[in-house]
Amino acid sequence: IIIIMTEFFTRELLINLIFVFLITGSWDIVLRFMSQGYVKFLGIENMKWVKVLKDYFDKHTLLSAFLIAALVGAIAYICIMYTYSVINLDTTTTYGKIIAISIVFLISGLLGFPMRYSGLFPILEKHYYEPLGLTYSFITDSMSGVIVSITLFIIQELLKKY
């Protein structure tokens, strides 16, 4: 099992895991500022899923909310990359990219279920999952994963150039 784990947790995966941790936490800070009215962008700050987060962020410090989001993003990334490896996904093809982003969407949404029902995140449950309902929160969790994925891709592409 140690050999399998070292084959899975490659240097590249661990570096990307750190990036995903930081990206997810950083987007959480942006969401905080949007929900508090400090950042406005294309009207997103007026959407229900952003507005309900104001009460959530009022109950968390900047660091605690960052760390919760970042940890969940890192867990999602590991699940996503493991799924890619199990199905031997080739992300260099257009078809592979479509499957990849679909997997990101699905896993990111599914990870909302343990967050909602485990009892580990009561403030998030009360101020995010309950007001949004199951379908809306699944979609917003899923799209959050897609946004993090796109951000990671952009960073990776920029790093290739420098």
Side-chain angles (χ1 to χ4, degrees):
I1 192 152
I2 292 173
I3 293 170
I4 293 169
M5 293 305 283
T6 56
E7 289 176 12
F8 177 71
F9 286 103
T10 62
R11 181 176 187 275
E12 179 184 6
L13 185 132
L14 292 173
I15 289 169
N16 286 336
L17 184 61
I18 292 166
F19 275 125
V20 167
F21 183 89
L22 296 172
I23 291 166
T24 308
S26 298
W27 275 119
D28 197 67
I29 292 171
V30 171
L31 278 175
R32 171 188 284 267
F33 291 152
M34 286 179 122
S35 73
Q36 294 171 335
Y38 298 125
V39 174
K40 297 181 185 323
F41 184 71
L42 300 176
I44 294 170
E45 68 280 358
N46 297 318
M47 296 178 80
K48 181 179 180 182
W49 71 276
V50 176
K51 286 188 159 295
V52 299
L53 286 171
K54 183 178 183 325
D55 291 334
Y56 169 76
F57 288 125
D58 287 345
K59 306 256 187 294
H60 280 289
T61 66
L62 185 74
L63 180 60
S64 67
F66 175 99
L67 290 174
I68 290 168
L71 180 62
V72 172
I75 291 168
Y77 181 73
I78 292 168
C79 295
I80 290 162
M81 295 311 294
Y82 183 73
T83 303
Y84 289 179
S85 71
V86 166
I87 66 172
N88 199 24
L89 183 62
D90 178 9
T91 58
T92 61
T93 67
T94 301
Y95 177 74
K97 289 176 180 158
I98 292 168
I99 297 299
I101 207 72
S102 300
I103 289 169
V104 168
F105 184 90
L106 183 63
I107 289 176
S108 298
L110 289 174
L111 279 177
F113 287 102
M115 293 184 68
R116 173 190 285 263
Y117 297 115
S118 68
L120 294 173
F121 307 96
I123 297 168
L124 194 61
E125 165 64 16
K126 180 179 180 182
H127 296 290
Y128 177 74
Y129 288 112
E130 283 179 14
L132 293 184
L134 188 63
T135 304
Y136 195 2
S137 64
F138 179 86
I139 292 168
T140 57
D141 286 343
S142 297
M143 289 307 298
S144 294
V146 171
I147 296 297
V148 169
S149 180
I150 291 168
T151 306
L152 177 64
F153 174 77
I154 291 168
I155 289 171
Q156 288 171 330
E157 291 302 306
L158 290 172
L159 289 175
K160 285 179 190 174
K161 295 179 186 219
Y162 300 103

